[in-house]
Amino acid sequence: MSTPYIEKEVDGDKSSDVVWHSASVSHDDHVQLNGHKAAVLWFTGLSGSGKSTVANAVDLMLHQQSVKTYVLDGDNVRHGLNGDLGFSDADRVENIRRVSEVAKLFADAGLLVSTAFISPFISDREMVREQLPNNQFIEVFIDTPLDVCESRDPKGLYKKARAGEIKNFTGIDSAYEAPVNPEVHVKTAEKSIEACALQVIEYLKANNFIS
Ligand SMILES: Nc1ncnc2c1ncn2[C@@H]1O[C@H](COP(=O)(O)OS(=O)(=O)O)[C@@H](OP(=O)(O)O)[C@H]1O
Ligand SMILES: Nc1ncnc2c1ncn2[C@@H]1O[C@H](COP(=O)(O)OP(=O)(O)O)[C@@H](O)[C@H]1O
């Protein structure tokens, strides 16, 4: 007998006649089969801070240990699911809301999912935390000073933003609210990519998400 993992949320009138259907295979069944806990590693930081790089390094380390994983990356999700969204504050909020729902489904399936989104607003990240059960939200602050991100400029976007060719660019003319008490605080300007990834792996081990 499975227990409903995700409770139905009534969203105004549009879904009031939709009834939640419990799955035959429960979250606990997935976790038992996988042999590790599920969680969402929520990487947040400025553009060029290293979210994608560290998230993918962590993902590879986990995969090599036979942990079931998936990476949701802002650049990729914005090509499909969120291709209709731009970079106004309202669109960023909607971006994170949708990603949060997808991440919740991946975690429900028993995966250790990593997300790499700037996710600049504390309120949105706290919304994600609150909708995930049992401390499954792990905030990973990729803390890289703006000047370092700008000197890396892997996609040439800071140059364009400084030239006024891109508006509402995070850290230039759009806000970034740093995490106050993240589960993992990674300073990429001070250590290698591998050391940054290992810091996340150590957190997962110390908190019994993986063995
Ligand atoms: N105006 C503006 N501000 C910030 N970023 C911009 C912008 N325009 C395009 N890009 C590119 O989009 C990537 C950020 O997308 P996200 O979905 O992570 O943004 S957010 O969480 O909704 O704020 C970001 O990717 P990363 O560099 O990997 O962070 C940029 O490549
Ligand atoms: N310790 C480090 N951790 C992460 N990235 C680093 C580090 N040192 C240098 N970099 C470089 O910084 C850049 C970060 O880019 P990216 O991962 O795309 O950032 P983001 O996803 O936050 O926009 C990459 O070119 C990466 O090689």
Side-chain angles (χ1 to χ4, degrees):
M1 177 72 182
S2 67
T3 46
Y5 175 75
I6 302 172
E7 286 169 12
K8 175 178 181 284
E9 288 163 17
V10 177
D11 177 20
D13 289 333
K14 288 184 186 169
S15 62
S16 58
D17 292 327
V18 179
V19 178
W20 184 262
H21 193 288
S22 294
S24 305
V25 180
S26 73
H27 172 71
D28 290 348
D29 295 331
H30 287 298
V31 166
Q32 198 176 3
L33 187 68
N34 290 346
H36 59 79
K37 290 185 188 168
V40 175
L41 287 165
W42 191 275
F43 291 79
T44 174
L46 295 169
S47 177
S49 59
K51 301 180 298 295
S52 300
T53 301
V54 180
N56 278 283
V58 168
D59 195 58
L60 184 58
M61 288 177 184
L62 292 171
H63 184 75
Q64 287 168 342
Q65 293 176 41
S66 302
V67 176
K68 304 274 192 306
T69 62
Y70 197 74
V71 177
L72 291 166
D73 190 294
D75 286 321
N76 301 345
V77 173
R78 278 177 174 276
H79 275 107
L81 175 67
N82 292 350
D84 58 326
L85 301 176
F87 291 92
S88 65
D89 286 2
D91 277 8
R92 290 178 198 259
V93 169
E94 176 61 10
N95 183 34
I96 299 310
R97 188 194 69 78
R98 291 184 199 171
V99 171
S100 164
E101 291 291 341
V102 175
K104 188 165 76 169
L105 293 175
F106 275 95
D108 186 29
L111 275 68
L112 234 159
V113 51
S114 295
T115 66
F117 294 81
I118 295 175
S119 43
F121 305 126
I122 289 174
S123 57
D124 293 326
R125 299 194 300 267
E126 287 310 303
M127 176 273 296
V128 187
R129 181 189 296 280
E130 281 161 22
Q131 73 154 357
L132 283 162
N134 307 328
N135 301 321
Q136 284 182 4
F137 180 82
I138 302 166
E139 189 172 43
V140 183
F141 180 22
I142 301 296
D143 184 4
T144 310
L146 179 62
D147 62 317
V148 175
C149 296
E150 201 163 349
S151 67
R152 290 177 181 168
D153 206 4
K155 300 166 199 155
L157 296 177
Y158 282 99
K159 199 172 170 212
K160 285 188 181 173
R162 289 291 185 196
E165 292 166 25
I166 303 178
K167 300 290 177 202
N168 299 327
F169 198 79
T170 307
I172 307 294
D173 56 354
S174 186
Y176 179 76
E177 298 171 0
V180 178
N181 195 18
E183 275 74 14
V184 191
H185 192 159
V186 182
K187 298 191 175 183
T188 74
E190 297 175 10
K191 49 188 174 183
S192 69
I193 295 167
E194 189 187 14
C196 293
L198 281 172
Q199 192 183 339
V200 179
I201 297 287
E202 285 310 314
Y203 176 89
L204 293 173
K205 283 185 180 163
N207 290 277
N208 298 317
F209 284 95
I210 57 171
S211 51

